[in-house]
Amino acid sequence: MAQVYENLMAEFEQRFPDIAAELGPENLTRFLEACILVKLPEGRQLFRDRMQVESLYMLLEGEMVATVGGTSRNRSSDALTVGQIQPGAWLGEVAVLSGDMHASATVTTKTRCRALKIHSQDFERFVLYDEDISHVLLGHLVDILAQRLRESHAVEETLRRHD
Amino acid sequence: MTDIKTFLRGLPAFERFSERQIDALLDRLHVETHAPGTVLFRQDEQEPALYIVISGVLQMSHQSLINGDNGDNTREAHAGEVIGHLALVPNMPSPSTCTAVGEVTVASLSYDDYNALFLLAPGVAHQFQYMVATQLAHYLQEQNKSLRQHLDSQRPTASRSFLERLLGA
């Protein structure tokens, strides 16, 4: 069991090197103790567009795709791909941090995946009451969200010019 | 400043902080009064500071670039609200224009003063960092809704293929 945990820490350090380095071994251990390792087969929907989100995920291995739109009868063929998700990515953080708690896209595994899952309540406990971990997580999440918002603005601006 | 200290301590976001932490925040805040009609920041421009509204009403108006009048919205910010969070994120345009409806008094926190708080009162700085993260997430949700609304309005026209190329399909 200890060997499995050490391997998980090593894998986290590889996929999320900045967060691991800034947290340090003690805080990283506390954070990982709140996470569950999940294994997902190819073609599994992790989130469904506009459905409730209860947990955040950190992708360790495999690829996922984010789509929006599509009718309920023919969702897969009518959906629009808005992102390819690689190891090192966070998932579900927008829904949780916004308080909306609903997915803004459908996320489906393209390959077999392994991810760390943390329940939104555990995540909020770290963010609100554990300054050592909060500072590191929020610092990275602010950077990630800011970059996504800049990219989204760029898409909007391109659409405006196209119209 | 004593009145503002009492005011801050009455806000849920700051009620858990110690006297020393609130004093450190007060040292970094700048109290400003603005005349009716003053524009504190404009949509698509960097916000100059985060503002805690102490008194008065501000109008926050957002004009959609892609959904016409359907995507526009306006709301008011009142005493006790925090606005202008994106001032604490470099190179981040504002999603709205903020105008004083009547005379308003605000306490402003600049990006530099926010960074100084991480040394002087880390807990308070973390509170602002959390506010920024939640506000960014909220704006992203709104932005995604706007893009989805635009996408739906375009289906099944020829523009969809353009959108698919643009968004990486």
Side-chain angles (χ1 to χ4, degrees), chain A residues 49-50 67-71 75 78-80 106, chain B residues 148 151-152 155:
Chain A
D49 195 6
R50 290 175 252 198
T67 57
V68 295
T71 64
R75 182 170 292 279
D78 202 25
L80 180 69
T106 296
Chain B
R148 186 186 288 113
L151 182 67
D152 289 345
R155 289 177 188 275

Side-chain angles (χ1 to χ4, degrees), chain B residues 94-109:
Chain B
S94 175
S96 56
T97 295
C98 175
T99 309
V101 175
E103 185 177 273
V104 297
T105 300
V106 294
S108 69
L109 180 72

Side-chain angles (χ1 to χ4, degrees), chain B residues 35 52 91 126:
Chain B
I52 301 168
N91 189 27
H126 292 154

Side-chain angles (χ1 to χ4, degrees), chain B residues 22-114:
Chain B
I22 293 292
D23 285 342
L25 171 60
L26 280 171
D27 282 346
R28 293 287 161 172
L29 290 175
H30 301 272
V31 178
E32 310 162 2
T33 297
H34 295 281
T38 302
V39 176
L40 273 69
F41 51 83
R42 295 181 190 279
Q43 183 173 339
D44 298 330
E45 295 179 4
Q46 180 78 39
E47 295 162 1
L50 171 145
Y51 300 100
I52 301 168
V53 183
I54 295 171
S55 66
V57 178
L58 294 139
Q59 186 184 62
M60 312 284 288
S61 58
H62 168 78
Q63 190 173 22
S64 174
L65 293 178
I66 55 174
N67 289 319
D69 293 343
N70 291 334
D72 293 353
N73 63 66
T74 300
R75 72 169 190 91
E76 289 182 345
H78 297 264
E81 285 191 54
V82 177
I83 58 172
H85 303 79
L86 299 192
L88 307 186
V89 182
N91 189 27
M92 180 56 67
S94 175
S96 56
T97 295
C98 175
T99 309
V101 175
E103 185 177 273
V104 297
T105 300
V106 294
S108 69
L109 180 72
S110 70
Y111 179 67
D112 289 343
D113 285 321
Y114 164 64

Side-chain angles (χ1 to χ4, degrees), chain A residues 30-38 47 53-58 90-92 96 115-127 133 137:
Chain A
R30 284 197 297 121
F31 178 65
L32 290 180
E33 281 173 352
C35 298
I36 299 168
L37 179 66
V38 292
F47 299 128
V53 171
E54 292 182 346
S55 297
L56 295 90
Y57 295 83
M58 290 151 280
W90 287 75
L91 295 154
V96 172
L116 286 173
K117 174 183 179 180
I118 181 167
H119 195 276
S120 58
Q121 289 178 347
D122 291 325
F123 176 78
E124 285 175 343
R125 181 168 49 81
F126 281 125
V127 162
I133 291 179
L137 294 185

Side-chain angles (χ1 to χ4, degrees), chain A residues 16-25 27-28 132 135-137 139-140 143:
Chain A
F16 299 87
D18 293 341
I19 293 176
E22 288 176 38
L23 283 176
N27 290 326
L28 179 57
D132 292 337
H135 180 43
V136 176
L137 294 185
H140 283 273
D143 288 346

Side-chain angles (χ1 to χ4, degrees), chain A residues 5-26 28-29 32 60 116:
Chain A
Y5 196 73
E6 281 178 21
N7 290 346
L8 188 61
M9 279 194 79
E11 193 171 3
F12 188 90
E13 286 167 352
Q14 183 189 354
R15 297 304 189 189
F16 299 87
D18 293 341
I19 293 176
E22 288 176 38
L23 283 176
E26 190 179 318
L28 179 57
T29 299
L32 290 180
L60 294 172
L116 286 173

